[in-house]
């Protein structure tokens, strides 16, 4: 995000307060942020609030008509922006975008710019469901410049529970990062991507299990990156934060999730979804073994065995490789300590994969729970790519650039 040029258009809805968090996070990450407020937006938040968070004056319609700029302001901003987000997007501004109307600084800047535009609508459910609003929403999506995030369903400020809630900053921020990284390309459009993520748990009784500390962040990043590039995504989720799963499905219509706690459940979900997948990424940390027996009642401490008989769980990835058709691509992950390349190469060959992502789990800023990662990509044609430390979302984009 460092020094990237991000333009935020804010229109008149109560969700305008939430965009302050987006701006604040972008500025903290070192991005250059400029913002335009419509007259409606100024009823909800002040230009001073936005300017303070941007570390730069916020633009309002009065600036559009001021003769103090060396170029017309909308041209200057349009040429300046690498990516543009309109959040919240009201029904009124949506209608203007759908018809190419330009009657204020924000809509003139849209027409004077060429960068990808992320739209985050927010309105009352009845407004959102109006035929005219839905028609405009479909219309803007015919234009490849426009990317959509949300709206989700939930409790609205009008006390209704329904569709129309603006996407959370947690989803707007990675989408902007994706658009900056990929330039807004939709090269995975029409592709179906299957991803497993999170750790599996193998229970001994209802409270005790064998598991691992995987948080599923790498798989979530893969799902976001693929969906942002136009893919239809199925995300099979092992044990991980339920809020992260809810957030992604509320904002990205192209992501479907399936819960799978144990290796057996994950195997079933993966085998069912695999025949339709063009690309499969097995990022889950599957527990390799399970207790040989399971007690449906919680075992009292005195009944716990001093030694735990174990048995292996199925190797899901190896099974997928056996069923793989020539048009399908299958990518494994190898989280390793020490030398990461040799063991990953051995897994690539043993499991008959197209490619594998070797990543260290013994370095700071990489592996389980981290927001950043580094990796070596290896494939069955002998290609090797080293990706230095970057966000997991950027790593996901590098992988799709390299693998597709
Ligand atoms: N994997 C899988 N099913 C398993 C174990 C692993 O599908 N039962 C997948 C992982 O999701 C990952 C890849 O295989 O994509 C490599 O996982 P890893 O645990 O590193 O490999 P193992 O085959 O278990 O080898 P080892 O534990 O001996 O390193």
């Amino acid at each position: 995000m460092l020094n990237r040029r991000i333009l935020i258009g804010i229109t008149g809805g109560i969700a305008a307060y939430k965009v302050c968090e987006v701006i604040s996070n972008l500025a903290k990450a070192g991005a250059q942020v400029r913002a335009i407020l419509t007259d409606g937006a100024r009823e909800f938040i002040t230009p001073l609030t936005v300017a303070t968070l941007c570390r730069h004056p916020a633009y309002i319609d009065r600036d559009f008509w001021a003769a103090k700029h060396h170029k017309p302001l909308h041209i200057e901003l349009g040429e300046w922006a690498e990516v543009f987000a309109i959040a919240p997007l009201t029904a009124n501004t949506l209608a203007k975008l759908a018809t190419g109307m330009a009657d204020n600084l924000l809509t003139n800047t849209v027409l004077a710019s060429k960068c990808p535009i992320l739209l985050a609508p927010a309105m009352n459910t009845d407004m959102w469901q109006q035929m005219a609003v839905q028609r405009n929403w479909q219309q803007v999506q015919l234009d490849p410049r426009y990317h959509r995030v949300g709206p989700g369903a939930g409790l609205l400020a009008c006390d209704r529970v329904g569709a129309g809630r603006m996407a959370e900053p947690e989803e707007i921020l990675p989408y902007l990062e994706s658009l900056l990284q990929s330039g807004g390309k939709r090269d995975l459009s029409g592709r179906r991507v299957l991803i497993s993520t999170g750790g599996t748990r193998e229970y001994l009784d209802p409270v005790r299990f064998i598991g691992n500390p995987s948080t599923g962040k790498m798989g979530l990043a893969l799902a976001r990156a693929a969906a942002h590039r136009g893919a239809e995504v199925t995300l099979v989720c092992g044990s991980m934060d339920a809020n992260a799963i809810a957030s992604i499905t509320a904002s990205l219509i192209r992501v479907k999730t399936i819960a799978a706690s144990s290796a057996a459940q994950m195997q079933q979900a993966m085998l069912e979804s695999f025949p339709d997948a063009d690309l499969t990424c097995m990022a889950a940390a599957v527990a390799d073994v399970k207790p040989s027996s399971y007690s449906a009642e919680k075992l009292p401490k005195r009944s716990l065995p001093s030694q735990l008989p174990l048995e292996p769980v199925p190797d899901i990835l190896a099974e997928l490789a056996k069923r793989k058709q020539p048009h399908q691509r299958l990518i494994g992950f190898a989280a390793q300590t020490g030398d990461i390349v040799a063991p990953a190469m051995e897994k690539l060959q043993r499991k008959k994969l197209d490619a594998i992502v070797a990543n260290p789990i013994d370095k700071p800023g990489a592996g389980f729970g981290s927001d950043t990662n580094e990796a070596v990509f290896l494939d069955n044609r002998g290609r090797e790519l080293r990706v230095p430390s970057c966000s997991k979302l950027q790593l996901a984009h590098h992988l799709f650039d390299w693998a597709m």
Side-chain angles (χ1 to χ4, degrees), residues 196 198 200 263 266 281-289 312-320 331-336 343 346-347 350-351 353 356-357:
S196 70
T200 61
M266 184 168 280
C281 299
M282 189 78 201
V286 185
D288 291 311
V289 290
V313 299
D315 190 320
I316 304 168
L317 189 55
E319 183 58 36
L320 295 177
I331 303 180
F333 279 68
Q336 303 290 154
E346 185 274 324
K347 284 171 204 190
R350 172 166 46 93
K351 301 198 188 198
L353 310 176
I356 196 157
V357 175

Side-chain angles (χ1 to χ4, degrees), residues 285-302:
V286 185
D288 291 311
V289 290
K290 65 175 184 179
S292 299
S293 60
Y294 174 74
S295 161
E297 300 292 325
K298 183 189 168 195
L299 295 168
K301 199 165 34 178
R302 64 177 183 283

